[in-house]
Amino acid sequence: MPRYAIAMADDMDSDLVAGERRADLERALTYVSTESQPDGSYVINGDLPPDVAPPFIRAIMRVEAELLLNDAELVTVDEGEPRTPEQRRADAFVALILRVDDRSSA
């Protein structure tokens, strides 16, 4: 199990996810796709229209900020930071998707 959590989930009864309307985030996710790479990693692609992008970007930034605060508590002299900014951004994306989907799978 990793030393860090993915981020606390929002209230499942709320229409808001990371401070944004769930419906807006669901719409934004329809413009996002993933592409597998030969090394087993994935590239996330998204061409969000200008009216769709701002709520999605704000939500990812909020989740990433939560992860950054959590990571700050885990920094040690011996091990340094628990993940890179790139890893944190990818983890924030995954955490956001899981939060958006929380209510539909409950």
Side-chain angles (χ1 to χ4, degrees):
M1 178 158 206
R3 294 186 316 144
Y4 49 85
I6 287 233
M8 293 176 38
D10 295 297
D11 180 357
M12 285 179 28
D13 295 329
S14 175
D15 185 42
L16 296 179
V17 177
E20 301 296 332
R21 289 180 351 110
R22 186 181 306 271
D24 291 342
L25 299 175
E26 288 171 342
R27 180 173 176 225
L29 286 170
T30 66
Y31 294 94
V32 176
S33 63
T34 59
E35 181 181 327
S36 63
Q37 301 297 298
D39 67 357
S41 65
Y42 285 85
V43 173
I44 301 167
N45 299 305
D47 188 14
L48 283 65
D51 64 317
V52 174
F56 186 70
I57 293 167
R58 287 191 301 262
I60 285 182
M61 290 176 76
R62 287 184 186 112
V63 175
E64 187 177 6
E66 291 174 19
L67 295 176
L68 181 61
L69 289 171
N70 184 62
D71 286 358
E73 299 300 320
L74 301 175
V75 172
T76 66
V77 172
D78 295 331
E79 297 186 35
E81 291 188 46
R83 59 184 144 192
T84 66
E86 292 81 14
Q87 290 169 326
R88 192 169 26 256
R89 174 64 55 99
D91 289 347
F93 176 78
V94 171
L96 181 61
I97 291 173
L98 292 172
R99 288 184 188 191
V100 169
D101 190 52
D102 264 355
R103 192 170 61 186
S104 61
S105 61

